Amino acid sequence: MPLDTSAYSLALLRVDGRRWNELRRIHAQIRTQAAADGSSYFEMGHTKVMCVVNGPSEPGPRRGGTAAAAPGGGQSKDAEVAVSIVVAGFSSVDRKRVGRGDKRILELQSTISSALTASLHTHLYPHSTINISLHVLSQDGSLLAALINAATLACVDAGIPMTDYVAACTAGSTSTYAANDESADPLLDLNHQEEQELPGLTVATLGDSDRVAVLVCESRVQVGRLEGMLAVGVDGCKQVREILDRVVREKGRRMLQEGTVEKGVGLDEMDMD
Amino acid sequence: MASTQHVLLSPAELAYLHASLSLTPPIRPDGRTPTQFRPLVAETGILPGTNGSARICFADGTEAIVGVKAEVERTKLSRVGPADELEGTRLVGDVVEGLAGAGGTENITEKEEIATNGADWVELSVEIPGYRDDDAGTAFLSAMLAEALLADGEFARKLYINRRFHWKLYLDILLISPPLSYPLPLLSLTTHLALLSTRLPRLKSEGDEDPFFDDDWAAAPYLYPRRKGDSGKATSKPPVSLLVMAVGNSIIFDPSKEELAVADVALAVSIGEALSSSSTSLGKKATTEDAMNLDDGEGRSLRLLSVRTIDPPSRLTPPGVPNATNSAYGAATATQKQPEARTAELEAVEGVWKAPRGGAKPLVMAALVQKVLEKGGVADEVLDALDAVDLV
């Protein structure tokens, strides 16, 4: 179904009624599952993902299957970040079964793994593995961004030391590459429809800074538009970071109130609002 | 896979666990009674993009999500008589025929069509993190769940649209957490809830036309229709598979991983709720089931759908060495090169762990199945509990 972008210039509203710089509704939860070391649930519009982190753990007795077959971790000085993504068959509109060996999935896995390896203090856990398993329950664009955000939250929940949040977001442009429109506006947070038609990129930044941790662009776009898209994307990442931070603080405060965790020494000075 | 995964318990620990579970009443490590399930949190209708979905979280932290998606598919017109088909599909055919009652012959051949194709109309896949999807254990799990679903008999009939088209149902079962215990009960209960919450668009076209549906989702009927008035509970239910195990003389439901490691026998028992009209026609099919059919006036009548033995990991556990043959306790060592291999052949010594050998005794199996189907027993309790979940 082609996306009608001609209406955009009339009211400056996108197909789902957002303005160019508006994010979709973001809802996030951490510590959703008791059995895992860390877990999170992240919703960005209709894109819904779940993340479960196990580890860092040293390789124990072989449990069979592919998890144990992964090399590394064993000898290296740094912890290895093993990411596995399961895309549920019911996640997209038409049921599609995506195998684990799918090239796109492998690329997403390695992107997330390298982004988090850079942010997590992996040197503190030699010879061990951090297993991050991500489940895609529903997809409506910005999949990589949602996966990165969920993985960040779950790592925070698992208590793995990290330099800062890795917050991700997508950005696009209002007209197609072929239209070659000079006055195209950048867009923030693409949904599935927009992602199919318009050029877009995924950007992740490290915390409050402008330091880009991930930049993935899989579509053709005029180089002149790239700067605007990137600026909008980085700005969106900062908004996402605020949301992630709020979720973590909220959960932390509730855990203190419930007495799940003892109030530490350092926490007194921390600004918990 | 999960059923055979190794538990890090020493022979002494296994012997202790076995002994405490064989007591009457058994003492379970987590303090549950023998028929008590782990507490669980359940919700349905969590994914608006699916026809039906559910999520269940057990108290031990294992969590599963099931999504059901339906597609319209053209029915393959095969003129194969049901006589050449497998046992399972023939049973479906007979039940459907029985339900059709005294319908015309043409009607019956049409129903046979459903019966012969029924198995292809459902596709079930299980995803367990860390395991390949073609792993033997995963395949066994999905086969077991699909078998229970189809053995129900009337399931394929629900997917019938007209002679040319039918619904194809895709059930995707996701285990979110690592498999801490054998996940069969969790996956089965979640599938049950997801199917209960499944709705298919209302058919507007008639007869054998190309199907045309009402686009009002609010008008979409449930796959398992609701009784009017009576708090909207479903009239029939999808099957539930329960895991039961026997240790000594105790029968234990919903065993944890550690308990499964000392099981003498482990069974996956699938039960369904019999329709009052069809229970008689099914009863004559399998004589053994006749006795199991418990018709209790106002309550539900449970029906045994399938029984599978699960290979318990206890068979792979190392045996303990009795003091009499242990060289550390001064036993003669000269003749014994492999004490473990020899003690395995010896008779059981009180308090020394020995992996169970051989098959299950028929009496034990019968007792297990009887216990599951008992009126007011665990199956009733589980179905009642699942009834209480709000369907969105």
Side-chain angles (χ1 to χ4, degrees):
Chain A
M1 186 172 55
L3 177 70
D4 184 16
T5 49
S6 60
Y8 177 77
S9 56
L10 299 175
L12 299 182
L13 289 176
R14 289 149 74 175
V15 277
D16 51 5
R18 284 182 291 153
R19 293 184 198 285
W20 65 273
N21 61 348
E22 281 175 347
L23 287 171
R24 288 175 289 175
R25 191 184 80 97
I26 290 180
H27 171 73
Q29 275 176 292
I30 63 171
R31 185 146 298 196
T32 51
Q33 193 193 86
D37 292 320
S39 54
S40 68
Y41 173 76
F42 191 84
E43 224 179 274
M44 214 171 183
H46 287 298
T47 303
K48 296 170 186 179
V49 296
M50 261 186 153
C51 182
V52 172
V53 171
N54 274 302
S57 55
E58 291 187 29
R62 301 229 144 205
R63 278 189 300 142
T66 46
Q75 314 305 322
S76 69
K77 276 186 175 166
D78 297 336
E80 180 210 12
V81 181
V83 180
S84 75
I85 300 177
V86 174
V87 180
F90 50 77
S91 62
S92 46
V93 176
D94 295 312
R95 188 194 179 272
K96 210 177 337 167
R97 193 142 160 66
V98 185
R100 270 186 210 178
D102 190 85
K103 287 270 164 52
R104 258 190 76 75
I105 300 295
L106 291 179
E107 198 182 328
L108 287 178
Q109 286 177 353
S110 76
T111 308
I112 296 167
S113 167
S114 58
L116 285 172
T117 310
S119 173
L120 295 170
H121 289 199
T122 50
H123 64 276
L124 297 175
Y125 306 100
H127 316 303
S128 41
T129 311
I130 300 168
N131 275 305
I132 301 180
S133 69
L134 287 151
H135 298 262
V136 181
L137 303 180
S138 167
Q139 37 180 330
D140 182 27
S142 306
L143 182 63
L144 176 59
L147 290 172
I148 292 174
N149 292 333
T152 304
L153 280 180
C155 286
V156 170
D157 183 30
I160 304 167
M162 58 201 294
T163 44
D164 210 332
Y165 293 97
V166 185
C169 186
T170 53
S173 189
T174 46
S175 68
T176 55
Y177 170 77
N180 203 3
D181 184 0
E182 284 300 315
S183 59
D185 277 344
L187 293 176
L188 184 63
D189 194 13
L190 303 183
N191 64 22
H192 178 69
Q193 245 184 332
E194 291 169 332
E195 210 168 56
Q196 292 295 101
E197 297 287 321
L198 304 173
L201 53 83
T202 301
V203 59
T205 59
L206 207 59
D208 260 340
S209 67
D210 281 342
R211 287 173 61 198
V212 173
V214 176
L215 180 59
V216 178
C217 181
E218 290 173 316
S219 50
R220 289 166 72 94
V221 61
Q222 278 84 1
V223 79
R225 295 198 218 165
L226 196 66
E227 197 183 333
M229 283 162 64
L230 194 56
V232 166
V234 168
D235 191 52
C237 289
K238 284 183 183 156
Q239 293 182 49
V240 172
R241 195 217 154 226
E242 287 306 308
I243 294 167
L244 298 185
D245 197 42
R246 212 181 310 141
V247 168
V248 171
R249 280 174 193 279
E250 177 60 35
K251 183 72 185 177
R253 193 166 58 232
R254 200 161 328 130
M255 284 168 73
L256 279 179
Q257 273 169 4
E258 287 167 0
T260 325
V261 284
E262 281 196 17
K263 204 162 187 180
V265 233
L267 288 168
D268 281 327
E269 296 96 66
M270 247 171 89
D271 173 31
M272 289 303 284
D273 46 14
Chain B
M1 54 147 267
S3 77
T4 53
Q5 80 190 2
H6 287 285
V7 186
L8 295 172
L9 292 175
S10 68
E13 286 166 319
L14 289 168
Y16 176 78
L17 197 55
H18 187 270
S20 63
L21 286 176
S22 332
L23 295 172
T24 36
I27 298 169
R28 300 176 71 170
D30 47 9
R32 286 184 283 160
T33 62
T35 54
Q36 197 177 1
F37 260 65
R38 283 165 285 185
L40 56 85
V41 177
E43 53 182 331
T44 59
I46 51 166
L47 298 165
T50 58
N51 289 72
S53 57
R55 162 176 173 266
I56 288 188
C57 242
F58 269 165
D60 65 355
T62 49
E63 182 181 10
I65 289 184
V66 174
V68 181
K69 250 187 157 24
E71 278 174 15
V72 175
E73 203 180 58
R74 196 177 277 278
T75 307
K76 268 181 257 142
L77 289 170
S78 62
R79 284 286 159 198
V80 191
D84 316 328
E85 296 299 311
L86 296 170
E87 182 68 36
T89 45
R90 203 193 309 156
L91 190 72
V92 175
D94 284 326
V95 172
V96 170
E97 215 169 293
L99 286 174
T105 35
E106 199 189 331
N107 194 11
I108 284 177
T109 49
E110 188 179 300
K111 300 291 182 197
E112 276 169 10
E113 208 70 49
I114 309 173
T116 50
N117 289 322
D120 303 336
W121 294 4
V122 183
E123 204 180 296
L124 199 140
S125 75
V126 177
E127 283 273 5
I128 292 175
Y131 291 93
R132 294 161 56 97
D133 39 9
D134 54 356
D135 184 87
T138 316
F140 185 53
L141 268 175
S142 68
M144 216 157 24
L145 291 168
E147 176 189 68
L149 200 60
L150 292 167
D152 177 290
E154 55 172 327
F155 190 69
R157 222 163 61 94
K158 293 179 188 293
L159 303 176
Y160 177 83
I161 297 175
N162 58 35
R163 267 158 64 173
R164 291 167 51 225
F165 293 94
H166 64 88
W167 287 108
K168 171 128 189 181
L169 216 59
Y170 295 96
L171 280 116
D172 289 284
I173 302 174
L174 259 68
L175 190 67
I176 302 286
S177 59
L180 297 177
S181 53
Y182 192 59
L184 178 78
L186 173 68
L187 300 185
S188 166
L189 295 187
T190 320
T191 311
H192 175 97
L193 276 183
L195 281 170
L196 269 184
S197 73
T198 300
R199 299 162 89 177
L200 298 174
R202 192 169 65 86
L203 190 66
K204 269 181 140 176
S205 59
E206 290 168 356
D208 287 345
E209 300 172 15
D210 283 0
F212 172 63
F213 297 98
D214 193 347
D215 55 7
D216 182 9
W217 184 245
Y222 284 95
L223 185 65
Y224 285 87
R226 297 300 141 81
R227 206 178 285 142
K228 291 231 166 61
D230 183 23
S231 65
K233 294 298 173 208
T235 44
S236 67
K237 295 278 172 58
V240 180
S241 304
L242 301 177
L243 193 60
V244 203
M245 66 170 222
V247 177
N249 290 323
S250 324
I251 291 173
I252 288 168
F253 282 83
D254 192 28
S256 67
K257 185 171 76 171
E258 289 78 20
E259 288 166 336
L260 208 55
V262 295
D264 292 339
V265 196
L267 278 191
V269 184
S270 302
I271 45 166
E273 233 178 294
L275 286 172
S276 44
S277 57
S278 69
S279 57
T280 43
S281 71
L282 194 96
K284 74 167 188 264
K285 275 293 118 225
T287 43
T288 49
E289 282 171 30
D290 229 355
M292 308 293 179
N293 264 336
L294 296 175
D295 261 302
D296 48 344
E298 80 294 333
R300 58 169 62 84
S301 55
L302 296 173
R303 199 171 91 194
L304 185 70
L305 295 174
S306 68
V307 177
R308 289 262 174 193
T309 52
I310 308 284
D311 198 18
S314 52
R315 295 188 193 285
L316 301 173
T317 48
V321 184
N323 285 350
T325 50
N326 192 345
S327 59
Y329 283 84
T333 52
T335 54
Q336 293 181 0
K337 283 196 178 127
Q338 289 176 300
E340 275 122 36
R342 304 212 77 202
T343 46
E345 309 303 325
L346 294 176
E347 278 173 36
V349 180
E350 180 71 28
V352 177
W353 172 247
K354 186 167 155 289
R357 309 244 154 204
K361 295 180 182 66
L363 270 179
V364 176
M365 302 280 267
L368 283 173
V369 174
Q370 192 66 51
K371 187 88 176 163
V372 173
L373 292 172
E374 208 173 53
K375 186 179 165 188
V378 178
D380 256 345
E381 227 167 76
V382 168
L383 287 172
D384 279 341
L386 290 174
D387 255 357
V389 178
D390 276 338
L391 295 173
V392 186

